[in-house]
Amino acid sequence: MAGLLAAGPAASQVAKPKQPNVLFILADNLGYGELGVYGGGALRGAPTPRIDKLASEGLRLTNMNMEPQCTPSRSAMLTGRHAIRSGTYAVPFGGVAEGLTQWEVTLAESLSEAGYATALYGKWHLGSHDGRLPNDQGFDEWYGIPRTTNEAMWHDTPGYSPEHMRPEYILEGRKGGKSREVKVYDMEQRRLLDAEVTRRSIDFMERQARAGKPFFAFASLTQPHLPTVPHPAFAGKTGNGDWADMLAEMDHNVGQMLDAVERLRIRDNTVVIFVSDNGAEFIKPWEGWAGPWRGAYFTAWEGGIRVPFMIRWPGRVPAARVSDEIVHGVDLFTTLAGFAHAKVPHDRPIDGVDQAGFFLGKTDKSAREGILIWVDNRLQAVKWRNYKVHFYQQDTMTSPAERLPIPHVFNLYENPREDEGKRAYTSWVLGPMLKMVNAFNASVKKYPLIPMGTPDPYQPPGLP
């Protein structure tokens, strides 16, 4: 970890404000339309009262944007940098050095340096070998899977043998040591993992509350990523199938963590965030629902990038507030570091902007007007205010991405489904959009992108 800039005056000059705890709950492939407060819930076979109540207790966003895949979105949230910069712009499929280089500074590293206890439980997907696991990237402890949930299905595939492809293991590790293999991640463990994530997250919060130490608890749930199956205790609970049972379980697990915050009497000094890593699941028969938006993950359609988001901080984030202002996942690093009086890197481009003023209700406006949208290593689209331009046509994750001879412009207020037959012929909006693109390209000339598969140790070109 290198290149950190102090967030404010030295401690000797001013009294340091109390640092809030952070409970960060991340769902995996939860579409915009799944939760009750976003138009789903009972319409999807299972009400979500606990998550809906959480949304009413703080700020709920209707224009929260993520990268369109699991690995890029996690990279962006934890580094404050678009994944294209870090060589993490696509889900890795082996054969290269996976995940974040150790040169990257994660939110966990920043908060740890600021005195936080840090833990991640659940899915990581930013490196699957020692040196690139959570306990190597700022987390004091972790338990979960290094890659992805669909690998649990390997064991039931005809002809599969560990001799041909080593299975994924649930791992456990602590900072300063190597991670150990706990058990094979199969379909039995797939059903059990989120309950264990919840249990361990609560235990971690209890330990830190007793110690009086601020904490960053990252509860990285594996649901509803395929295969979408519930815990045995929830199987058949709704009578509406596995998807609804899973949704009921997720709501229960979130409720358990919120109850722990209440029980520990740390509610007023705990920032709680609930968000999805990208848009809806696409693979049948587990496909999710993006609500009013077109598309699913792995695409630049709104259904691939627009996700549920809510943040609660009693007395600081005004309750019962809903906003359609544009926010991006990269902003969470910068904003949470500010809340924690932590440090952010100054020796590299940081794409996240500090949304504290907006989140805390000091302004009705987001600190950004637009976002750049990559799919793999292609700049596929740009959003600015209520307009969006696509440079490529790609309908689904299995469709080829075809460069458009003329960019397609949409007014998302008039055409939220991004219907090609209702394109907006207002080319003036390309001006501010291309200004954003040009600014990014200029930064790349000064700070080259890290190629995917770059091994450690990494140092940017031109630095000693």
Side-chain angles (χ1 to χ4, degrees), residues 320-338:
R321 185 166 165 234
V322 181
S323 175
D324 195 54
E325 287 288 297
I326 294 176
V327 178
H328 193 280
V330 291
D331 300 339
L332 297 179
F333 175 96
T334 326
T335 306
L336 288 173

mmCIF file of all heavy atoms in Angstrom, residues 320-338:
data_model
loop_
_atom_site.group_PDB
_atom_site.id
_atom_site.type_symbol
_atom_site.label_atom_id
_atom_site.label_comp_id
_atom_site.label_asym_id
_atom_site.label_seq_id
_atom_site.Cartn_x
_atom_site.Cartn_y
_atom_site.Cartn_z
ATOM 1 N N ALA A 320 -36.123 8.573 4.930
ATOM 2 C CA ALA A 320 -37.259 8.632 3.997
ATOM 3 C C ALA A 320 -36.966 9.519 2.785
ATOM 4 O O ALA A 320 -37.846 10.217 2.285
ATOM 5 C CB ALA A 320 -38.513 9.110 4.720
ATOM 6 N N ARG A 321 -35.739 9.469 2.317
ATOM 7 C CA ARG A 321 -35.343 10.283 1.168
ATOM 8 C C ARG A 321 -35.086 9.376 -0.020
ATOM 9 O O ARG A 321 -34.432 8.335 0.101
ATOM 10 C CB ARG A 321 -34.088 11.073 1.514
ATOM 11 C CG ARG A 321 -33.612 12.054 0.447
ATOM 12 C CD ARG A 321 -32.591 13.008 1.032
ATOM 13 N NE ARG A 321 -31.865 13.726 -0.020
ATOM 14 C CZ ARG A 321 -30.545 13.755 -0.120
ATOM 15 N NH1 ARG A 321 -29.803 13.096 0.757
ATOM 16 N NH2 ARG A 321 -29.962 14.437 -1.087
ATOM 17 N N VAL A 322 -35.597 9.751 -1.194
ATOM 18 C CA VAL A 322 -35.403 8.998 -2.433
ATOM 19 C C VAL A 322 -34.882 9.969 -3.482
ATOM 20 O O VAL A 322 -35.386 11.087 -3.611
ATOM 21 C CB VAL A 322 -36.711 8.343 -2.923
ATOM 22 C CG1 VAL A 322 -36.463 7.555 -4.203
ATOM 23 C CG2 VAL A 322 -37.298 7.444 -1.845
ATOM 24 N N SER A 323 -33.859 9.543 -4.235
ATOM 25 C CA SER A 323 -33.274 10.433 -5.231
ATOM 26 C C SER A 323 -32.939 9.659 -6.496
ATOM 27 O O SER A 323 -32.517 8.495 -6.440
ATOM 28 C CB SER A 323 -32.004 11.092 -4.690
ATOM 29 O OG SER A 323 -31.371 11.874 -5.701
ATOM 30 N N ASP A 324 -33.095 10.334 -7.643
ATOM 31 C CA ASP A 324 -32.725 9.779 -8.937
ATOM 32 C C ASP A 324 -31.423 10.394 -9.457
ATOM 33 O O ASP A 324 -31.094 10.266 -10.624
ATOM 34 C CB ASP A 324 -33.846 10.009 -9.959
ATOM 35 C CG ASP A 324 -33.677 9.145 -11.211
ATOM 36 O OD1 ASP A 324 -33.542 7.911 -11.042
ATOM 37 O OD2 ASP A 324 -33.647 9.692 -12.325
ATOM 38 N N GLU A 325 -30.665 11.035 -8.584
ATOM 39 C CA GLU A 325 -29.373 11.583 -8.974
ATOM 40 C C GLU A 325 -28.385 10.449 -9.292
ATOM 41 O O GLU A 325 -28.440 9.381 -8.678
ATOM 42 C CB GLU A 325 -28.805 12.458 -7.858
ATOM 43 C CG GLU A 325 -29.513 13.789 -7.698
ATOM 44 C CD GLU A 325 -29.191 14.734 -8.845
ATOM 45 O OE1 GLU A 325 -28.015 15.117 -9.006
ATOM 46 O OE2 GLU A 325 -30.131 15.104 -9.581
ATOM 47 N N ILE A 326 -27.487 10.694 -10.233
ATOM 48 C CA ILE A 326 -26.533 9.671 -10.671
ATOM 49 C C ILE A 326 -25.412 9.487 -9.642
ATOM 50 O O ILE A 326 -24.771 10.461 -9.221
ATOM 51 C CB ILE A 326 -25.913 10.044 -12.029
ATOM 52 C CG1 ILE A 326 -26.975 10.036 -13.130
ATOM 53 C CG2 ILE A 326 -24.788 9.081 -12.394
ATOM 54 C CD1 ILE A 326 -26.446 10.488 -14.485
ATOM 55 N N VAL A 327 -25.186 8.236 -9.247
ATOM 56 C CA VAL A 327 -24.062 7.851 -8.393
ATOM 57 C C VAL A 327 -23.447 6.603 -9.005
ATOM 58 O O VAL A 327 -24.141 5.823 -9.670
ATOM 59 C CB VAL A 327 -24.518 7.590 -6.940
ATOM 60 C CG1 VAL A 327 -23.350 7.139 -6.068
ATOM 61 C CG2 VAL A 327 -25.156 8.846 -6.338
ATOM 62 N N HIS A 328 -22.149 6.409 -8.800
ATOM 63 C CA HIS A 328 -21.473 5.208 -9.306
ATOM 64 C C HIS A 328 -20.769 4.494 -8.168
ATOM 65 O O HIS A 328 -20.371 5.117 -7.172
ATOM 66 C CB HIS A 328 -20.461 5.579 -10.393
ATOM 67 C CG HIS A 328 -19.954 4.404 -11.175
ATOM 68 N ND1 HIS A 328 -18.955 3.564 -10.706
ATOM 69 C CD2 HIS A 328 -20.319 3.914 -12.390
ATOM 70 C CE1 HIS A 328 -18.731 2.611 -11.593
ATOM 71 N NE2 HIS A 328 -19.535 2.799 -12.624
ATOM 72 N N GLY A 329 -20.589 3.194 -8.313
ATOM 73 C CA GLY A 329 -19.935 2.395 -7.284
ATOM 74 C C GLY A 329 -18.561 2.897 -6.890
ATOM 75 O O GLY A 329 -18.133 2.711 -5.742
ATOM 76 N N VAL A 330 -17.818 3.525 -7.822
ATOM 77 C CA VAL A 330 -16.495 4.040 -7.474
ATOM 78 C C VAL A 330 -16.578 5.123 -6.401
ATOM 79 O O VAL A 330 -15.592 5.370 -5.688
ATOM 80 C CB VAL A 330 -15.751 4.594 -8.713
ATOM 81 C CG1 VAL A 330 -15.357 3.481 -9.670
ATOM 82 C CG2 VAL A 330 -16.573 5.666 -9.425
ATOM 83 N N ASP A 331 -17.738 5.763 -6.273
ATOM 84 C CA ASP A 331 -17.894 6.838 -5.291
ATOM 85 C C ASP A 331 -17.905 6.320 -3.856
ATOM 86 O O ASP A 331 -17.692 7.101 -2.915
ATOM 87 C CB ASP A 331 -19.189 7.613 -5.552
ATOM 88 C CG ASP A 331 -19.239 8.250 -6.922
ATOM 89 O OD1 ASP A 331 -18.165 8.454 -7.535
ATOM 90 O OD2 ASP A 331 -20.353 8.533 -7.403
ATOM 91 N N LEU A 332 -18.153 5.032 -3.669
ATOM 92 C CA LEU A 332 -18.273 4.507 -2.308
ATOM 93 C C LEU A 332 -16.938 4.512 -1.585
ATOM 94 O O LEU A 332 -16.866 4.763 -0.379
ATOM 95 C CB LEU A 332 -18.877 3.106 -2.341
ATOM 96 C CG LEU A 332 -20.302 3.050 -2.912
ATOM 97 C CD1 LEU A 332 -20.825 1.627 -2.930
ATOM 98 C CD2 LEU A 332 -21.239 3.962 -2.121
ATOM 99 N N PHE A 333 -15.845 4.224 -2.299
ATOM 100 C CA PHE A 333 -14.515 4.280 -1.684
ATOM 101 C C PHE A 333 -14.259 5.679 -1.137
ATOM 102 O O PHE A 333 -13.929 5.868 0.041
ATOM 103 C CB PHE A 333 -13.446 3.914 -2.718
ATOM 104 C CG PHE A 333 -12.031 4.052 -2.216
ATOM 105 C CD1 PHE A 333 -11.344 2.959 -1.723
ATOM 106 C CD2 PHE A 333 -11.383 5.283 -2.232
ATOM 107 C CE1 PHE A 333 -10.043 3.092 -1.254
ATOM 108 C CE2 PHE A 333 -10.085 5.427 -1.775
ATOM 109 C CZ PHE A 333 -9.411 4.330 -1.276
ATOM 110 N N THR A 334 -14.407 6.673 -1.988
ATOM 111 C CA THR A 334 -14.087 8.047 -1.617
ATOM 112 C C THR A 334 -14.981 8.539 -0.486
ATOM 113 O O THR A 334 -14.506 9.174 0.469
ATOM 114 C CB THR A 334 -14.261 8.960 -2.843
ATOM 115 O OG1 THR A 334 -13.907 8.248 -4.020
ATOM 116 C CG2 THR A 334 -13.406 10.190 -2.735
ATOM 117 N N THR A 335 -16.265 8.247 -0.585
ATOM 118 C CA THR A 335 -17.222 8.740 0.403
ATOM 119 C C THR A 335 -17.027 8.078 1.759
ATOM 120 O O THR A 335 -17.010 8.746 2.795
ATOM 121 C CB THR A 335 -18.653 8.528 -0.107
ATOM 122 O OG1 THR A 335 -18.778 9.118 -1.406
ATOM 123 C CG2 THR A 335 -19.666 9.145 0.830
ATOM 124 N N LEU A 336 -16.865 6.760 1.771
ATOM 125 C CA LEU A 336 -16.692 6.062 3.045
ATOM 126 C C LEU A 336 -15.357 6.411 3.689
ATOM 127 O O LEU A 336 -15.267 6.514 4.921
ATOM 128 C CB LEU A 336 -16.819 4.557 2.839
ATOM 129 C CG LEU A 336 -18.244 4.062 2.549
ATOM 130 C CD1 LEU A 336 -18.240 2.578 2.178
ATOM 131 C CD2 LEU A 336 -19.169 4.315 3.728
ATOM 132 N N ALA A 337 -14.325 6.590 2.888
ATOM 133 C CA ALA A 337 -13.040 7.027 3.448
ATOM 134 C C ALA A 337 -13.201 8.381 4.128
ATOM 135 O O ALA A 337 -12.641 8.618 5.211
ATOM 136 C CB ALA A 337 -11.980 7.087 2.352
ATOM 137 N N GLY A 338 -13.986 9.262 3.522
ATOM 138 C CA GLY A 338 -14.238 10.557 4.145
ATOM 139 C C GLY A 338 -15.004 10.431 5.447
ATOM 140 O O GLY A 338 -14.668 11.082 6.446
#
